[in-house]
Amino acid sequence: MTDRKPCKVCNFTRQKSYGVAVPSLDDLKMKGSEFLGFSPGDPVTVVLENDGTIVEDQSYFLCLPLNTKFMLLHEKETWSPVRRVDGGTAWMARDSVLLEADTVEADSVDASSAAAPWLDLAQQLKQDLASIILMSEADLQTLVEAPCLELASALGFQEKKAEDLQETVQRVLDRREEERQSKELLQLYLKAAEKEDGQQEDQSQGDGDVDVEVDGMEVDSSSGFMSRTLMVLKGKTSPETRLSTEDLQMVVSRGVKAMEQVLGWDRTRTSALLQACEAELTGRLQQVQAVQSIRSNAQLESS
């Protein structure tokens, strides 16, 4: 009795099912055929009832768990899965449940997105983190303002990583704002300088003998400076701030001795003027370099 294996056998319609205890596969075929009413000489194929796997090897039969259910098939009979008698409506109920679940989930996502606009941005980042490069400043600000814990959950990040992401985005926004303000200040400065130069040009009467005209601008023949430049140098407070960059370069390149003769000043006063012009020229060149650096960074960020 200890060598016998408890099993279950059924026919291909599953309308007949019996329990047997047999020591081997051949005994299962013989005893199962007897219980199911098969003729002793008819060939029988043994398959697993649940998936139709054909069982022909004795070793495999012995490895199967106790009370395994087998199906015995005649020559023309084939295995088929269990057919549930439900009037053909089970699939409708199943699909209805799935459709309702999908609808509820979609409504939930839509409602969440409407309540939290950062969710859509988080989904974009989850699919492709590099998409953050293409986001507008408004989108970046939305990510910064998102609840850190919820953002981490949406991205699949740890909270610390989401916090680092928000801090990095905030630094990018701060840097862009600083660059924008620097550009605006430089533009305001240039506009104010141009406006004041225009006013000075209208009021200029010229100093010294004027006998040359270049592009409509009167030039002093003895010094080579435009009359308006000489007027600014001699008659204005902080004249270095009122001259163009080209004029500043001309003043600095002439040197102290030559400018003493042009202006008719002593060495101390002339030296102070040239030092102020040189400092102003250096500052402007640094501003130009800063603007060029900003443009380069902006091009790199956009690419």
Side-chain angles (χ1 to χ4, degrees):
M1 294 294 292
T2 56
D3 296 333
R4 294 186 176 186
K5 185 183 185 73
C7 306
K8 296 178 182 179
V9 293
C10 67
N11 61 356
F12 80 103
T13 63
R14 295 181 176 84
Q15 294 179 352
K16 293 181 180 180
S17 182
Y18 299 94
V20 296
V22 293
S24 67
L25 182 59
D26 291 337
D27 288 334
L28 175 67
K29 293 180 180 180
M30 182 178 61
K31 201 165 186 178
S33 296
E34 180 183 348
F35 284 159
L36 294 174
F38 297 164
S39 298
D42 291 342
V44 175
T45 301
V46 179
V47 301
L48 295 179
E49 183 274 339
N50 60 345
D51 62 6
T53 300
I54 298 175
V55 181
E56 293 182 344
D57 183 69
Q58 171 68 15
S59 299
Y60 178 69
F61 169 77
L62 294 176
C63 291
L64 293 171
L66 303 179
N67 292 313
T68 298
K69 191 171 186 178
F70 299 92
M71 180 182 290
L72 273 58
L73 304 173
H74 277 153
E75 184 177 0
K76 295 183 179 180
E77 295 174 346
T78 58
W79 175 89
S80 61
V82 179
R83 296 177 180 175
R84 302 186 184 278
V85 181
D86 55 10
T89 60
W91 66 273
M92 296 176 63
R94 180 180 66 255
D95 290 351
S96 177
V97 171
L98 292 176
L99 179 59
E100 182 179 356
D102 290 342
T103 302
V104 170
E105 182 177 358
D107 291 343
S108 176
V109 171
D110 291 342
S112 299
S113 298
W118 57 267
L119 275 176
D120 290 336
L121 302 175
Q123 290 300 320
Q124 293 180 29
L125 291 180
K126 189 174 183 180
Q127 294 175 3
D128 182 11
L129 191 60
S131 64
I132 195 171
I133 299 175
L134 303 177
M135 291 184 179
S136 64
E137 291 188 6
D139 289 341
L140 295 177
Q141 188 62 44
T142 300
L143 287 175
V144 171
E145 295 173 353
C148 184
L149 187 59
E150 295 180 21
L151 180 62
S153 176
L155 293 173
F157 289 174
Q158 294 183 354
E159 185 177 1
K160 181 63 170 63
K161 188 175 181 180
E163 184 179 349
D164 292 342
L165 175 63
Q166 287 182 311
E167 290 179 355
T168 301
V169 171
Q170 184 61 64
R171 286 197 296 270
V172 170
L173 290 173
D174 291 343
R175 187 182 64 190
R176 290 184 181 179
E177 181 62 25
E178 291 175 359
E179 292 173 355
R180 188 181 299 108
Q181 291 179 0
S182 297
K183 290 180 181 179
E184 291 176 354
L185 287 174
L186 181 57
Q187 290 174 352
L188 289 174
Y189 170 79
L190 293 176
K191 287 181 179 179
E194 290 176 359
K195 184 178 180 180
E196 187 165 351
D197 287 344
Q199 292 175 348
Q200 295 298 332
E201 182 179 354
D202 293 339
Q203 297 174 359
S204 64
Q205 298 177 356
D207 287 344
D209 296 329
V210 176
D211 54 7
V212 181
E213 185 171 330
V214 179
D215 294 334
M217 301 297 292
E218 295 179 346
V219 179
D220 182 78
S221 59
S222 61
S223 65
F225 284 99
M226 288 186 294
S227 57
R228 180 182 60 81
T229 303
L230 291 174
M231 182 194 69
V232 172
L233 287 172
K234 294 180 178 180
K236 296 294 181 180
T237 304
S238 301
E240 68 278 2
T241 63
R242 305 170 186 270
L243 296 178
S244 67
T245 301
E246 184 179 356
D247 288 338
L248 287 173
Q249 291 175 335
M250 189 174 178
V251 170
V252 172
S253 63
R254 286 294 185 88
V256 176
K257 187 174 181 180
M259 291 306 298
E260 284 183 31
Q261 297 177 357
V262 171
L263 299 174
W265 292 356
D266 59 27
R267 179 172 293 273
T268 302
R269 187 178 178 185
T270 306
S271 297
L273 174 64
L274 262 67
Q275 290 176 2
C277 290
E278 186 174 0
E280 177 67 17
L281 181 61
T282 301
R284 292 187 189 182
L285 293 176
Q286 289 175 349
Q287 286 182 339
V288 171
Q289 292 173 355
V291 171
Q292 292 175 343
S293 176
I294 290 171
R295 289 177 179 172
S296 299
N297 291 336
Q299 291 175 353
L300 289 174
E301 290 176 359
S302 63
S303 62

